[in-house]
């Protein structure tokens, strides 16, 4: 029998909860506490469920019937009204997280879930911290001028490259907001021409063979820790980025096969990279292993083996040896290798680029070249190590080294 508002108001609580039906699955549950709750009982895929429709008198009889009718319509369309409500609540909570801070943190969590390099996550968090003035603003309401004000403040401090990177990071956050239904556009898109272009800075590097020879002798004579010395001795040979080297794990080295396999998560291009190991490098690694043991990080920090050496360790060692930041950086050793290997005229540019782990824009060609140039790279890395030994010995190679007449020779120029 259908209920009336008068009947509902007259219902009193009892010692136990009881129900009063309005028909077709809609009923009022009167609880012992005095609360009167609307419920809709239904079956979906053979299973009985009930849907809460609100509390009386906040939800009157007419409104309760309207909500029950809506639930029946959902059932007729083949969906479960209870599951649909839970889904809509999740969507509402998700869409409510619509500030720049909410979206930025979610975007950074996405990068973490994708196992991006630790340095990438650290930089993303750092750039977000610089954009804090808009953190609490709804992402869909942020105007280009608001972002520009932050970027111009950074730029005024002489940090043009930082301003450019912040704009790029903000752009990625706004585009993620659009993709997830919480934003409408990327307000940073029109700001591309509003910032002063940063001056291109190249990593300081030694490009003359005689300079490289002196550096190698200075490294051999380094009076600091043996692990730091070995890191500086190995770095010129393997041509890896500083972060790839200092984070190396002993499990990545196969000394028997003379190969170092750097996993994809540590590579800039997110592809595993194989480095041929010359005889010299293997000898350095054997000496290093005697100091650190065969497990864990190859270049551990001084105070704990659970962490790697600091990113500034090698550069600081260069400074103590008398090489200023405009003379040499750890990353500049890659430039040294690239320059002198190309000038030698002995090796294909593709083999050199592959050893430097520069990403090929053509993915299919990149896979092909990795296999095609491996044999050449093995030979090239051994030649390069032998050449570095020649430079360390102080032999003047420059006249013959840059002489086109001698480029066809098979041995290392002896001057």
């Amino acid at each position: 029998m259908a209920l009336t508002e008068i009947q509902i108001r007259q219902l009193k609580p009892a010692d136990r909860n009881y129900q009063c039906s309005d028909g077709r699955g809609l009923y009022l549950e009167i609880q012992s506490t005095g609360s009167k709750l609307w419920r809709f009982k239904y079956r979906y895929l053979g299973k009985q469920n009930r849907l809460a429709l609100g509390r009386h008198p906040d939800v009157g009889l007419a409104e309760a019937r309207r909500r029950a009718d809506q639930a029946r319509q959902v059932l007729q369309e083949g969906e479960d009204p209870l599951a649909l409500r839970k889904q809509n609540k999740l969507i509402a909570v998700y869409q409510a997280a619509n500030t720049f801070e909410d979206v930025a943190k979610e975007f950074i969590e996405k990068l973490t879930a994708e196992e991006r390099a630790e340095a990438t996550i650290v930089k993303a968090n750092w750039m977000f911290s610089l954009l804090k003035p808009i953190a609490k603003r709804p992402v869909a309401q942020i105007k280009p001028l608001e972002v520009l004000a932050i970027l111009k403040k950074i730029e005024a401090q002489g940090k043009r490259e930082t301003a450019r990177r912040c704009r790029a990071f903000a752009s990625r956050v706004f585009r993620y907001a659009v993709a997830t239904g919480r934003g409408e556009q990327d307000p940073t898109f029109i700001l591309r021409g509003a910032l002063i272009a940063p001056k291109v800075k190249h990593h300081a590097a030694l490009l003359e063979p005689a300079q490289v020879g002196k550096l190698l002798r200075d490294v051999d004579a380094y009076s600091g820790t043996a692990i730091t010395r070995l890191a500086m001795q190995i770095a010129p040979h393997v041509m890896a980025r500083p972060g790839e080297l200092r984070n190396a794990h002993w499990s990545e080295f196969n000394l028997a096969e003379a190969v170092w396999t750097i996993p994809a998560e540590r590579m800039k291009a997110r592809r595993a990279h194989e480095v041929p190991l010359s005889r010299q490098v293997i000898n350095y690694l054997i000496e290093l292993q005697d100091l650190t043991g065969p497990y864990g990080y190859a270049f551990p920090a001084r105070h704990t083996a659970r962490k790697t050496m600091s990113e500034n360790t090698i550069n600081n060692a260069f400074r103590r040896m008398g090489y200023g930041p405009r003379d040499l950086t750890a990353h500049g050793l890659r430039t040294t290798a690239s320059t002198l290997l190309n000038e030698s005229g002995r090796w294909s540019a593709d083999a050199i680029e592959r050893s430097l782990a520069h990403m090929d824009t053509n993915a299919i060609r990149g896979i092909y070249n990795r296999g095609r140039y491996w044999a050449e790279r093995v030979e090239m890395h051994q030649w390069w190590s032998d050449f570095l030994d020649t430079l360390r010995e102080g032999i003047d190679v420059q006249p013959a080294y840059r002489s086109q007449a001698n480029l066809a020779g098979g041995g290392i120029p002896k001057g």
Side-chain angles (χ1 to χ4, degrees), residues 191-331:
L191 300 180
R192 292 188 175 187
L195 298 175
I196 301 174
K199 294 181 180 179
V200 178
K201 292 184 178 180
H202 299 285
H203 295 287
L206 304 179
L207 304 180
E208 294 298 327
Q211 294 176 328
V212 177
K214 181 179 183 304
L215 170 66
L216 297 175
R217 292 190 295 273
D218 290 342
V219 168
D220 287 345
Y222 179 67
S223 59
T225 64
I227 292 177
T228 300
R229 170 179 56 79
L230 284 161
M232 291 190 290
Q233 288 174 319
I234 293 171
H237 294 262
V238 294
M239 311 178 204
R241 296 177 179 88
E244 295 161 2
L245 181 63
R246 70 182 182 85
N247 286 291
H249 197 280
W250 278 118
S251 61
E252 299 165 7
F253 293 98
N254 186 331
L255 301 187
E257 297 293 332
V259 62
W260 170 28
T261 303
I262 309 174
E265 59 266 23
R266 285 220 322 281
M267 295 300 300
K268 184 176 181 179
R270 315 307 296 166
R271 297 178 186 171
H273 178 60
E274 294 180 334
V275 180
L277 302 177
S278 66
R279 293 187 299 274
Q280 290 87 334
V281 173
I282 290 176
N283 288 333
Y284 286 135
L285 289 172
I286 291 173
E287 181 182 350
L288 179 64
Q289 202 168 73
D290 288 340
L291 298 172
T292 67
Y295 306 105
Y297 291 116
F299 302 96
R302 290 183 63 180
H303 58 285
T304 174
R306 295 180 180 179
K307 295 183 179 181
T308 64
M309 66 167 53
S310 165
E311 61 181 333
N312 297 318
T313 298
I314 293 180
N315 282 335
N316 288 341
F318 286 153
R319 304 300 165 257
R320 288 194 292 272
M321 291 160 52
Y323 293 89
R326 295 185 178 181
D327 302 321
L328 176 65
T329 65
H331 204 289

Side-chain angles (χ1 to χ4, degrees), residues 9 22 34 41 71 76 114-115 132 235 290 301 310 336 396 401:
R9 286 194 293 269
D22 186 60
K41 183 167 56 178
Q76 288 179 4
E114 293 173 349
E115 298 184 348
K132 277 295 179 70
D290 288 340
S310 165
T336 298
D396 182 12
Y401 179 70

Side-chain angles (χ1 to χ4, degrees), residues 18 42 50 97 104 191 284 319 372:
Y18 65 95
Y42 66 95
R50 67 173 186 170
L191 300 180
Y284 286 135
R319 304 300 165 257
R372 178 183 178 188

Side-chain angles (χ1 to χ4, degrees), residues 378-394:
V378 170
E379 184 181 358
M380 179 179 72
H381 275 251
Q382 186 57 57
W383 181 91
W384 176 239
S385 288
D386 292 341
F387 182 67
L388 291 178
D389 282 350
T390 300
L391 299 182
R392 179 187 291 101
E393 293 169 8

